[in-house]
Amino acid sequence: MSQASAKPRRAPRESAFQERFAVFAECLLTGVWIAVAALGLVTYPAAFAAGARHLRRVTDHEGGGLREFAADFRTAVRRGWLVGLAGWAVTAAVVVDVLAVRAGLPGGSFAGAVGVLALIALAVAGLRAAAVWEPGAAWRELLAAAGRRTVLDPAGSFLLVGGLAVTVCSAWFAVPLAVPVLGAVTAAAVAVEKRYRHR
């Protein structure tokens, strides 16, 4: 048989299990990248945004790696640090509410409950905003739209609350366990946003 008539061989395809395991492993690695990028304390929104964009590329089979993650992080952190600073300010306000509850101040229980629920809702909205971030997107617009989706898509929002709870429990049990879980939570946010767009 001549070489001209020989059919080109196809590269062997990965099985569904191999592909899903590869995505899972990529999520864990992305969690490490996010944790390192968030060490600046106010850089966590940009870290999640860069991680989410990386995972979107992976699931869309577009490739990418640490270099692309770093480039996305540098772009996202230009305005994202303000979002991170605002997040810490809200957290501080909730801590004050909780301290008021423990001090037995009148109305403290109600204020504490409202504060904790608001903090959880803002965390979910922040994750949803980061999951759809693209270079050039305005954080204010992303957060406003994500806040609406948080209310309009309670099933997706509760899924992310569960992911955040797993992250907190992992950190409580052993801090290193929470690092890779960050990638899984980011992947959940990406999946929730995709499901919302296609429903």
Side-chain angles (χ1 to χ4, degrees):
M1 182 185 294
S2 67
Q3 289 184 349
S5 61
K7 292 183 180 178
R9 285 186 177 178
R10 292 182 180 178
R13 287 191 61 185
E14 290 183 334
S15 69
F17 173 77
Q18 288 174 315
E19 186 174 348
R20 289 176 186 148
F21 187 79
V23 171
F24 175 70
E26 197 69 37
C27 289
L28 300 184
L29 176 61
T30 304
V32 175
W33 293 351
I34 290 170
V36 171
L39 287 175
L41 297 182
V42 295
T43 58
Y44 65 89
F48 277 106
R53 190 156 191 253
H54 170 69
L55 291 174
R56 291 201 310 269
R57 279 195 295 263
V58 168
T59 55
D60 292 339
H61 304 287
E62 294 176 1
L66 181 57
R67 184 175 297 172
E68 289 79 5
F69 172 89
D72 285 336
F73 174 73
R74 285 193 299 270
T75 302
V77 81
R78 287 177 193 149
R79 297 285 181 191
W81 72 269
L82 292 169
V83 179
L85 188 62
W88 284 116
V90 170
T91 302
V94 171
V95 169
V96 170
D97 282 346
V98 171
L99 291 175
V101 171
R102 296 183 71 179
L105 295 177
S109 299
F110 177 75
V114 169
V116 170
L117 289 175
L119 182 61
I120 292 170
L122 287 173
V124 170
L127 272 173
R128 296 187 80 138
V132 297
W133 176 86
E134 292 284 350
W139 279 101
R140 181 175 297 192
E141 294 172 8
L142 287 174
L143 287 167
R148 289 191 292 272
R149 292 193 302 275
T150 299
V151 175
L152 296 174
D153 180 27
S157 297
F158 280 122
L159 175 66
L160 294 180
V161 169
L164 291 170
V166 168
T167 305
V168 170
C169 291
S170 299
W172 192 0
F173 181 71
V175 173
L177 286 178
V179 171
V181 173
L182 292 174
V185 172
T186 306
V190 170
V192 163
E193 287 300 313
K194 282 188 176 181
R195 183 186 69 81
Y196 182 80
R197 284 198 307 272
H198 296 302
R199 59 176 196 170

